[in-house]
């Protein structure tokens, strides 16, 4: 057992931000579970586009589906492929789910990015995907948009696990954390159990630094009078933002409202650090893992980041250290006009658009794979 297992022991569960048919069939996921203590998997349209849109790994399954489903819509052909992968990953993780008594062992499948601003459609698709996969260790990914929050509450109330995605701001995170509590409270009112309902809040990290750093670099290049103060913030805003989100989480789970739910067996909605691959080569490639380690959290890593941490990561309780310094970083960012709220708001819109573009490309690639009879 190595550093990734140590990371889990420190409270930050290790999830893989990747899924691929060949990887699953060759036992790649099982190996990570055994060797590194991996306890979860996330997917998104971009990941599926890379997996399904290139090569021939899915062609046989698609041809078999087409034979029995002549004239099937492209979206149905995609869902057949995706659901098979998600079921396979869920089966691999089922022993983890059982061993940890539903506290972990989850695989995530995202609702269509086309309906990110449609509450009712999101609720309906979450139910459809949940029924289609039919695995208790599934999480349905719902974006943390304004329309997503009531969908999250309704989906949790229906007994469906939720991975809230595309969270960048503390305000958006707080809204969906409260939506999770609302869903659980509705189940309590209905005399339904809440002890095996799980959720994570996927808080994105590196994309924030990419945007803020670009603003800093531009202003420094232009000879801004605050250049030194600006340079001091480079690579620090995203981690500070995440640390303060976690500080709010700690206060929330200590509140009377949450404690009333916890007394009935409610599981906390863990913060999941997403977008943890480093995009600036000037930074250590384990930065967004090293600096965000703490109890009841998850870090979902692309394979490259997982490899880097396995080799040279540092395990220490970092999430709850230097919180006052994190507040200072965000206060400085505000003083210097870096407009974190504007950046995070724009990133939500960009994230939805990026996933929609990946979904366009994915469906286009599948459409090009003609049915066997054609």
């Amino acid at each position: 057992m190595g550093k990734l297992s140590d990371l889990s022991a420190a409270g930050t569960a290790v999830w893989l931000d990747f899924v691929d048919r060949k990887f699953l069939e060759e036992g790649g996921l099982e190996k990570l579970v055994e060797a590194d203590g991996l306890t979860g998997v996330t997917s998104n349209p971009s990941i599926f586009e890379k997996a399904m849109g290139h090569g021939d790994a899915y062609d046989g399954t698609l041809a078999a589906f087409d034979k029995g489903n002549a004239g099937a819509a492209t979206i149905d052909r995609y869902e057949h492929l995706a659901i098979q992968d998600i079921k396979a990953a869920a089966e691999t993780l089922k022993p983890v789910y059982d061993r940890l008594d539903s506290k972990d062992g989850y695989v995530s499948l995202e609702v269509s990015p086309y309906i990110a601003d449609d509450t009712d459609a999101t609720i309906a698709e979450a139910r459809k995907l949940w029924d289609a996969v039919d695995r208790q260790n599934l999480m349905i990914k719902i974006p943390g948009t304004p329309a997503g929050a009531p969908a999250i509450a309704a989906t949790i109330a229906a007994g469906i696990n939720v991975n809230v995605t595309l969270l960048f701001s503390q305000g958006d995170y707080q809204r969906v954390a409260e939506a999770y509590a609302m869903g659980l409270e509705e189940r309590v009112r209905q005399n339904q159990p809440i002890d095996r309902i799980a959720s994570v809040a996927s808080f994105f990290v590196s994309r924030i630094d990419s945007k803020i750093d670009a603003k800093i670099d531009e202003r420094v290049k232009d000879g801004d009078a605050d250049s030194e103060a600006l340079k001091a913030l480079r690579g620090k805003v995203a981690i500070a933002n995440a640390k303060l989100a976690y500080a709010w989480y700690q206060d929330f789970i200590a509140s009377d409202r949450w404690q009333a739910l916890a007394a009935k067996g409610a599981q906390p909605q863990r913060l999941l650090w997403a977008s943890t691959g480093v995009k600036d080569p000037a930074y250590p490639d384990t930065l967004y893992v090293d600096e965000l380690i703490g109890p009841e959290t998850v870090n979902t890593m692309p394979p490259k980041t997982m490899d880097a941490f396995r080799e040279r990561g540092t395990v220490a309780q970092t999430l709850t250290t230097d919180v006052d310094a994190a507040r200072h970083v965000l206060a400085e960012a505000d003083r210097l006009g870096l407009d974190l709220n504007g950046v995070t708001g724009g990133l939500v819109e960009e994230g939805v658009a990026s996933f929609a573009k990946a979904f366009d490309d994915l469906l286009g690639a599948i459409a090009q794979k003609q049915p066997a009879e054609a």
Side-chain angles (χ1 to χ4, degrees), residues 50-101:
K50 290 182 177 70
M52 297 177 188
H54 308 279
D56 57 6
Y58 292 82
D59 290 1
T61 303
L62 191 58
F65 174 77
D66 290 336
K67 284 182 180 178
N69 299 272
T74 302
I75 186 68
D76 294 328
R77 299 170 81 209
Y78 152 71
E79 286 184 358
H80 177 72
L81 298 178
I83 287 167
Q84 281 201 338
D85 279 1
I86 295 300
K87 282 183 175 180
E91 288 299 316
T92 299
L93 289 167
K94 183 62 160 55
V96 176
Y97 175 83
D98 291 339
R99 173 171 56 84
L100 298 176
D101 194 25

Side-chain angles (χ1 to χ4, degrees), residues 20-54:
D20 174 270
R21 177 68 53 88
K22 185 177 180 183
F23 171 76
L24 293 170
E25 290 178 344
E26 293 179 348
L29 180 59
E30 190 172 8
K31 290 175 186 175
L32 292 177
V33 171
E34 293 173 354
D36 295 310
L38 185 92
T39 55
V41 173
T42 49
S43 66
N44 62 47
S46 296
I47 289 171
F48 275 128
E49 191 278 326
K50 290 182 177 70
M52 297 177 188
H54 308 279

Side-chain angles (χ1 to χ4, degrees), residues 206-218:
S206 67
R207 296 186 195 182
I208 292 174
D209 276 344
S210 294
K211 292 288 186 181
I212 293 289
D213 288 355
K215 284 189 169 194
I216 290 171
D217 292 348
E218 187 65 26

Side-chain angles (χ1 to χ4, degrees), residues 173 177 242-256 258-259 268-269 271 293-297 317 319-321 323 327:
Y173 160 59
K243 285 190 173 188
L244 293 186
Y246 186 75
W248 184 90
Y249 160 82
Q250 290 180 301
D251 289 341
F252 184 65
I253 62 170
S255 69
D256 291 344
W258 179 258
Q259 287 302 309
Q269 182 190 54
L271 270 160
I293 301 172
E296 295 180 334
T297 58
Q317 292 288 331
L319 193 51
T320 54
T321 62
V323 176
R327 290 193 178 93

